[in-house]
Amino acid sequence: MTTAKEIRICFVGESFVNGVGDPECLGWAGRICVNANKKGHEITYYNLGVRRETSTELKQRCLPEVSYRLPQQYDGRVVFCFGVNDTTIENGKTRVAIKDSIANTREILIETKKLYPILMLGPLPIEDKAQNQRIANLSQKFQQICYELDIPYLDTFPTLINSDTWIDEIKNYDGAHPRATGYTELAKIVQNWEAWLNWFE
Amino acid sequence: MTTAKEIRICFVGESFVNGVGDPECLGWAGRICVNANKKGHEITYYNLGVRRETSTELKQRCLPEVSYRLPQQYDGRVVFCFGVNDTTIENGKTRVAIKDSIANTREILIETKKLYPILMLGPLPIEDKAQNQRIANLSQKFQQICYELDIPYLDTFPTLINSDTWIDEIKNYDGAHPRATGYTELAKIVQNWEAWLNWFE
């Protein structure tokens, strides 16, 4: 009946993957799947974003949840976006030390890449300026890991930190999450990313 | 800043919870949350629908996935909708025997209700007439369980089996799932359900 490409995609990460703050309940992940569907593809959209989750926590539940949804007989893919929560200060230090963020991320990516094609988005800017420096630093480390592992990496931090839409929505909401317009802006960046488009050729 | 009611909701079940077939990536679960957000509420929307899952499988992963997303310090709720896959014939018998469907469902509901307020939708009609009889029968069993456990239960089967929108979209797609119009029709039924509305009073 259809010549559409059927792909099942798990989006894995923290609240920004879930789309917290978006009254339209799509976030950037839902929007890029809707966009692909409009082009005639058939996406099964599994959103596995969890609020407040660090990379240490994500490492534990990632493969059980993903492999449960992506049996090997189907065309399954994984998109990651996490890291912001690692950089939050609690009790005088970041929730995850940067060396542990790096080790967690390397392990998550290596283990997942054995089973599925994967893409990674870098952690996103929020309102807090000091935390944004830590996020930008972490994004560079993640980029290096992905380069070494030959995983496409999209660092949207430099673009979004200079986006009035993104930053203003965050300031007017909860200091961390945008709303529909911000997520739409991020979705447009991702859905035009060459590595994402290559999945549908 | 806001007087909205902040609720985190896990929707747990099979492909119909995921919204398979909906090019808009919302399904009925996403649509009822968008509707609640429009009324001024703040829903964190966790969609835990998994394709092909039976109640036997759901029983294993339900609480680990739900409790991970709904820590006790937040206002967490759970909405279930499953059962269709239990009634599928494979190798000459249903994937799950009806007595096991009943036992699984009782256990899932009892264990989840210890931790969260819950609602349940009955299994939904598909194209196959013989399977629809098994689904209708299962829905009556589920209704009885929910009555005994004092859990609100919405049996949409009698409405949807007589809906040309629902049945025609399924026939024109894959024999099981509707598309945007069918999911919208179901969403309208659920978002006007008294038990759902009571969550936001």
Side-chain angles (χ1 to χ4, degrees), chain A residues 8 18 23-26 33-34 37 42 44-46 48-51 53 57 61 65 68-69 173, chain B residues 8 18 23-26 33-34 37 42 44-46 48-51 53 57 61 65 68-69 173:
Chain A
R8 304 186 179 193
N18 173 274
E24 298 175 18
C25 292
L26 287 166
C33 290
V34 171
N37 287 337
E42 293 268 348
T44 298
Y45 164 57
Y46 287 121
L48 297 174
V50 175
R51 298 184 74 159
E53 183 182 64
E57 295 157 348
R61 63 103 183 178
E65 290 194 0
Y68 188 70
R69 287 159 173 80
Y173 186 53
Chain B
R8 303 185 181 193
N18 172 275
E24 297 176 18
C25 292
L26 288 166
C33 289
V34 171
N37 286 335
E42 294 268 350
T44 298
Y45 164 56
Y46 286 122
L48 297 175
V50 175
R51 297 185 76 160
E53 186 182 63
E57 295 157 346
R61 62 103 184 180
E65 289 194 3
Y68 188 71
R69 286 160 174 81
Y173 187 52

Side-chain angles (χ1 to χ4, degrees), chain B residues 133-152:
Chain B
Q133 289 195 329
R134 295 190 294 275
I135 295 169
N137 181 45
L138 191 62
S139 185
Q140 291 188 358
K141 306 293 186 194
F142 285 177
Q143 185 153 34
Q144 181 61 30
I145 296 169
C146 285
Y147 179 78
E148 291 166 15
L149 299 176
D150 196 22
I151 293 165

Side-chain angles (χ1 to χ4, degrees), chain A residues 3-11 29-45 75-79 117 119 190-201:
Chain A
T3 56
K5 185 148 186 174
E6 294 187 17
I7 299 181
R8 304 186 179 193
I9 307 175
C10 285
F11 293 86
R31 282 179 171 77
I32 67 173
C33 290
V34 171
N35 181 261
N37 287 337
K38 278 186 187 153
K39 295 180 180 176
H41 305 294
E42 293 268 348
I43 312 290
T44 298
Y45 164 57
D75 185 352
R77 319 285 181 100
V78 183
V79 180
L119 301 176
V190 183
Q191 74 199 20
N192 288 308
W193 181 26
E194 189 182 3
W196 169 256
L197 293 170
N198 285 346
W199 271 7
F200 303 95
E201 279 184 351

Side-chain angles (χ1 to χ4, degrees), chain B residues 132-184:
Chain B
N132 275 342
Q133 289 195 329
R134 295 190 294 275
I135 295 169
N137 181 45
L138 191 62
S139 185
Q140 291 188 358
K141 306 293 186 194
F142 285 177
Q143 185 153 34
Q144 181 61 30
I145 296 169
C146 285
Y147 179 78
E148 291 166 15
L149 299 176
D150 196 22
I151 293 165
Y153 185 82
L154 183 63
D155 183 10
T156 61
F157 188 96
T159 304
L160 294 178
I161 192 83
N162 290 307
S163 158
D164 290 339
T165 302
W166 183 265
I167 297 298
D168 289 348
E169 272 198 331
I170 288 174
K171 283 183 181 171
N172 290 326
Y173 187 52
D174 64 358
H177 305 97
R179 310 214 60 166
T181 311
Y183 281 117
T184 300

Side-chain angles (χ1 to χ4, degrees), chain A residues 155-169:
Chain A
D155 183 11
T156 61
F157 188 97
T159 304
L160 294 177
I161 191 85
N162 290 307
S163 158
D164 290 340
T165 302
W166 184 265
I167 297 298
D168 289 350
E169 272 197 331

Side-chain angles (χ1 to χ4, degrees), chain B residues 75-171:
Chain B
D75 185 350
R77 319 283 180 99
V78 183
V79 181
F80 288 103
C81 179
F82 58 88
V84 173
N85 290 327
D86 286 19
T87 67
T88 303
I89 301 281
E90 279 184 4
N91 306 316
K93 57 184 184 180
T94 58
R95 291 182 65 200
V96 181
I98 189 155
K99 70 172 176 42
D100 295 329
S101 292
I102 291 168
N104 291 335
T105 300
R106 192 183 297 275
E107 182 179 331
I108 290 164
L109 296 176
I110 287 173
E111 293 306 312
T112 309
K113 197 183 178 213
K114 288 178 185 167
L115 298 172
Y116 310 103
I118 58 183
L119 301 176
M120 186 165 182
L121 270 67
L124 309 167
I126 60 172
E127 182 178 5
D128 186 275
K129 286 188 167 54
Q131 187 164 357
N132 275 342
Q133 289 195 329
R134 295 190 294 275
I135 295 169
N137 181 45
L138 191 62
S139 185
Q140 291 188 358
K141 306 293 186 194
F142 285 177
Q143 185 153 34
Q144 181 61 30
I145 296 169
C146 285
Y147 179 78
E148 291 166 15
L149 299 176
D150 196 22
I151 293 165
Y153 185 82
L154 183 63
D155 183 10
T156 61
F157 188 96
T159 304
L160 294 178
I161 192 83
N162 290 307
S163 158
D164 290 339
T165 302
W166 183 265
I167 297 298
D168 289 348
E169 272 198 331
I170 288 174
K171 283 183 181 171

Side-chain angles (χ1 to χ4, degrees), chain A residues 26-117:
Chain A
L26 287 166
W28 60 270
R31 282 179 171 77
I32 67 173
C33 290
V34 171
N35 181 261
N37 287 337
K38 278 186 187 153
K39 295 180 180 176
H41 305 294
E42 293 268 348
I43 312 290
T44 298
Y45 164 57
Y46 287 121
N47 189 311
L48 297 174
V50 175
R51 298 184 74 159
R52 261 191 69 77
E53 183 182 64
T54 65
S55 64
T56 307
E57 295 157 348
L58 192 156
K59 185 176 61 174
Q60 304 302 320
R61 63 103 183 178
C62 176
L63 270 191
E65 290 194 0
V66 168
S67 62
Y68 188 70
R69 287 159 173 80
L70 304 180
Q72 287 296 315
Q73 67 267 36
Y74 300 105
D75 185 352
R77 319 285 181 100
V78 183
V79 180
F80 289 103
C81 179
F82 59 86
V84 173
N85 290 327
D86 285 19
T87 68
T88 303
I89 301 280
E90 280 184 3
N91 305 315
K93 56 183 181 179
T94 57
R95 289 182 66 201
V96 181
I98 188 156
K99 71 171 175 44
D100 295 328
S101 292
I102 292 169
N104 292 336
T105 301
R106 192 182 297 274
E107 183 180 330
I108 290 163
L109 296 176
I110 287 174
E111 293 305 312
T112 309
K113 198 186 177 211
K114 288 177 185 169
L115 297 173
Y116 309 103

